[in-house]
Amino acid sequence: MRLSRWLAIGIGVKRWMLVLFAGLVLLAVAAAHVIRQATRDVEPTGLGGALLDLVTLQPLPYALRGLVVGSFGLALVIMGAARVVRAVTEPLREPEADQPLVELIYQKRFLARGPRIVAIGGGTGLSALLRGLKEHTSNLTAVVTVADDGGSSGVLRHAFGIPAVGDLRNCIAALADSEPIMAELLQYRFPAGDETPASGGEPGLAGHPVGNLLLAALTAVRGGDFEEGVRQMNRVLAVRGQVVPVSPTPIVLHAHLRDGRDLIGQSVIMRAEGIERVWIEPADVRPSDQVIEAIAAADLIVIGPGSLFTSLLPSLLVPGLAEAIASASGQRVYVCNVATQVGETAEFDLADHVEALIGHTTAGLVDIVLANSEFAARIPAGWPAHPVRLRWPPAVDRAPRLVLDDVVDPENAHRHDPTRLAAALIALAEREVAGRRRSGVARTA
């Protein structure tokens, strides 16, 4: 048993151990009082007197009597409490659980008191962020884009008319508390082969991750209700928090380029340079109710990291979502990418990212921009992009406050380090919560 973890702050065990110990002390005092009253008039002679002297430790020096009895009693209390906890909780534990019981209790009790955080985005950036944040709080809502139209997601989207599932799968795997083998299963992709089964012309399994197929199947089981299918996936895999599609409606991304061309489809736009403007269809798409509720209750709303035009903006352009963020009482943070992306953000600096974000949404969307300040990370061989330069301020009304921190993966200059990024965001959330407690009122946008 890990005693240090049992005594960790916030787990809710120490106070009840103290209550138990205090009760035992009072019982011991009461027992001593009864013995004193019963033996006050007894003359300690003969065998009875010798036995009474032995029970009351008369042969020992006076100073040692309490120490000996107290040490023996404390050892019994610890052993008994440990055995009782083990006996009571043994039926509740998995027979081959990798985590000790104290770790499970720590996660449920300590993490449940963490800040309420909404993270908006998609791609590898959002799943990496979630892996870091899940170690600090279980009050997480991942709002995931559904505009992807390439790969397995595109095939399932075309075949079944459901929104893109690939980014949802990655985020669910990142937050899942199920057995590690389940996370591996979700990400397992059937190897390439014959694309059509021998029986007909329907697409086969080649190229599909198991998690994508499972989301499609759960949606079908729930009568085509995509949001309910995702909720069931969250429940089955014991997701720490919740993963929610930004909308239950498939979204098509459009872009207008500086050379006058218009492009359709996320998989095409992500490779294009010179993007001036993006928009989504259908125009009347609605955000998920869970998303709006989570934003209103959040202590911290995080936009990014992720592909600016193909992961972040497709979600923020859903009607009503940017307005909900701008009017939320929680602190709103944009996490800028640590590096440019070939195609959509080639040659972009920090101010360019913020100008594009605000230009597509609304002034005052975010309070803080969190950017990387460390440029000594290892650059992968043949890397065609470069670190995002820190030009500031952007040409926008009400420029956000800039916060710089070392949040890059030291081994890969084009990725955030999940642990460092989560620590920086949690520090911002704690300052926001502490500020609210001091003022006694929530900030208004």
Side-chain angles (χ1 to χ4, degrees):
M1 297 181 66
R2 297 180 58 186
L3 182 60
S4 61
R5 183 63 93 192
W6 282 111
L7 299 179
I9 296 175
I11 199 172
V13 170
K14 298 188 299 299
R15 71 195 68 173
W16 301 115
M17 291 178 65
L18 289 174
V19 169
L20 173 63
F21 184 75
L24 291 173
V25 169
L26 291 176
L27 285 174
V29 171
H33 181 72
V34 170
I35 293 173
R36 179 186 176 96
Q37 293 296 322
T39 61
R40 183 169 53 183
D41 298 327
V42 175
E43 192 67 31
T45 58
L47 181 60
L51 183 60
L52 182 60
D53 286 344
L54 184 61
V55 170
T56 56
L57 303 180
Q58 296 300 316
L60 295 178
Y62 182 79
L64 288 179
R65 297 173 192 172
L67 180 62
V68 170
V69 174
S71 299
F72 185 66
L74 181 61
L76 290 178
V77 168
I78 293 175
M79 183 181 70
R83 293 293 182 176
V84 167
V85 169
R86 180 179 294 274
V88 171
T89 60
E90 193 70 31
L92 306 178
R93 302 171 63 185
E94 295 294 335
E96 297 181 359
D98 293 331
Q99 291 180 307
L101 175 65
V102 63
E103 290 295 334
L104 300 177
I105 296 176
Y106 177 79
Q107 291 175 5
K108 299 298 183 183
R109 296 296 302 273
F110 178 78
L111 297 179
R113 298 173 181 172
R116 297 184 297 272
I117 299 178
V118 172
I120 302 172
T124 57
L126 181 58
S127 56
L129 170 64
L130 297 175
R131 281 193 294 272
L133 288 177
K134 70 183 287 189
E135 302 304 322
H136 297 270
T137 180
S138 59
N139 297 313
L140 282 169
T141 298
V143 179
V144 185
T145 180
V146 290
D148 188 7
D149 61 352
S152 170
S153 291
V155 173
L156 295 176
R157 176 173 172 162
H158 177 74
F160 301 108
I162 60 175
V165 295
D167 288 338
L168 287 163
R169 179 199 80 241
N170 288 331
C171 292
I172 289 172
L175 290 180
D177 268 342
S178 55
E179 292 293 328
I181 188 62
M182 285 302 298
E184 294 180 28
L185 178 63
L186 285 181
Q187 301 291 39
Y188 175 76
R189 190 179 296 268
F190 288 97
D194 185 6
E195 294 297 328
T196 56
S199 59
E202 292 298 322
L205 298 179
H208 286 294
V210 171
N212 287 8
L213 299 175
L214 183 57
L215 278 166
L218 284 170
T219 300
V221 167
R222 292 301 173 181
D225 188 334
F226 183 68
E227 290 177 289
E228 181 60 25
V230 176
R231 279 193 289 270
Q232 291 302 316
M233 187 86 152
N234 281 280
R235 185 185 64 81
V236 168
L237 295 173
V239 165
R240 195 178 300 180
Q242 59 179 350
V243 177
V244 185
V246 67
S247 172
T249 304
I251 292 174
V252 179
L253 185 64
H254 296 251
H256 178 75
L257 308 186
R258 284 196 298 265
D259 62 12
R261 289 183 298 155
D262 287 342
L263 301 179
I264 301 176
Q266 182 264 356
S267 59
V268 175
I269 295 169
M270 66 184 295
R271 296 189 295 270
E273 293 188 16
I275 299 173
E276 283 191 342
R277 183 172 63 91
V278 295
W279 67 97
I280 61 171
E281 289 185 352
D284 60 350
V285 62
R286 65 171 180 84
S288 296
D289 293 337
Q290 283 179 277
V291 172
I292 301 301
E293 293 170 1
I295 289 172
D299 299 311
L300 183 69
I301 302 165
V302 183
I303 301 172
S307 301
L308 177 60
F309 291 106
T310 55
S311 288
L312 304 187
L313 286 174
S315 294
L316 296 174
L317 291 174
V318 173
L321 190 67
E323 292 76 11
I325 295 171
S327 62
S329 61
Q331 188 164 247
R332 302 157 302 178
V333 181
Y334 168 53
V335 178
C336 186
N337 288 349
V338 297
T340 61
Q341 290 182 270
V342 176
E344 60 183 281
T345 59
E347 305 301 326
F348 268 43
D349 57 27
L350 177 59
D352 290 328
H353 282 82
V354 176
E355 288 166 6
L357 182 75
I358 300 301
H360 278 82
T361 55
T362 181
L365 179 72
V366 294
D367 304 306
I368 293 174
V369 172
L370 176 61
N372 177 53
S373 61
E374 176 56 55
F375 296 97
R378 185 184 68 85
I379 298 177
W383 191 40
H386 58 75
V388 172
R389 299 184 301 274
L390 299 179
R391 180 174 68 88
W392 194 261
V396 297
D397 295 332
R398 297 166 55 190
R401 178 164 62 95
L402 176 62
V403 174
L404 299 176
D405 207 337
D406 177 6
V407 292
V408 71
D409 182 347
E411 298 302 319
N412 192 335
H414 71 286
R415 301 287 187 196
H416 281 89
D417 181 273
T419 301
R420 294 180 180 183
L421 178 57
L425 290 169
I426 290 296
L428 291 175
E430 289 174 347
R431 286 200 291 270
E432 168 70 6
V433 172
R436 287 194 201 179
R437 288 171 180 167
R438 286 194 300 268
S439 64
V441 295
R443 175 192 58 76
T444 57

